[in-house]
Each structure stands twice: as C-alpha cells, then as structure tokens.
Amino acid sequence: SLLVWNEGKSLELLGTCLKDSIVESQVLRSIQVFLLCVQSFPEDRPTTSSVNFMLANGDANLPHSKESGFFTEKSLNADIAASKNADTITMLGGR
C-alpha cells in the first residue's frame, strides 16, 4: 500500500462503486493516516489521540510515513514452523 501511495495511485484501492460517493481529500487523508499506523516500528506509529486529531482536522499537516510493517508468506511460514512444538489448550467455560 505504501508503493501505491508513493505512486499517487491510492484511489485505485477503492472499488469502482465507491468512487462517486466519496470525498477524495478525506479518503486520501485516511489512507495516509492508515500508513502512519502500520509503520514497522511501534515508536514511529501515532497514538490514538494523534490519529483522532489527524482525522478530525483536515487542515493539519501530516508526517510522511516510513516503511510499513507487513507479513510475507515466507515470514509467516517461518513463524509457524518456529512455534510448531508449542501446543496449548484453551478451555472455555461459562460463569
């Protein structure tokens, strides 16, 4: 999604049925805030109150996002393989 953002093609993420019913500037701002929230390092991510402020104040300048965090199929499979022998059982019970 960061690549799509950097190429200026963010609105291509929307379905064609939505394009006539959106405010483009609000959608682009929401995407930019989303990218800030999924940055690789937690210390780079905004707080909840900052997110609320950024979304409520359309004229406030937003910082540029750094590399976003994501999982690839390869890293996901490595995580599963690493935890293969750690069996746990969760018992659900009523109160």
Side-chain angles (χ1 to χ4, degrees), residues 1-53:
S1 56
L2 186 57
L3 179 61
V4 172
W5 176 262
N6 289 337
E7 291 178 355
K9 299 179 181 181
S10 298
L11 293 177
E12 291 180 15
L13 297 171
L14 298 175
T16 55
C17 62
L18 295 175
K19 290 195 179 196
D20 293 334
S21 62
I22 63 163
V23 177
E24 186 175 316
S25 62
Q26 291 176 347
V27 171
L28 292 174
R29 185 171 195 80
S30 297
I31 292 170
Q32 188 174 0
V33 171
F34 163 78
L35 290 172
L36 291 169
C37 293
V38 296
Q39 294 181 98
S40 293
F41 299 102
E43 61 270 13
D44 292 334
R45 299 175 196 155
T47 62
T48 302
S49 59
S50 295
V51 169
N52 288 335
F53 177 81

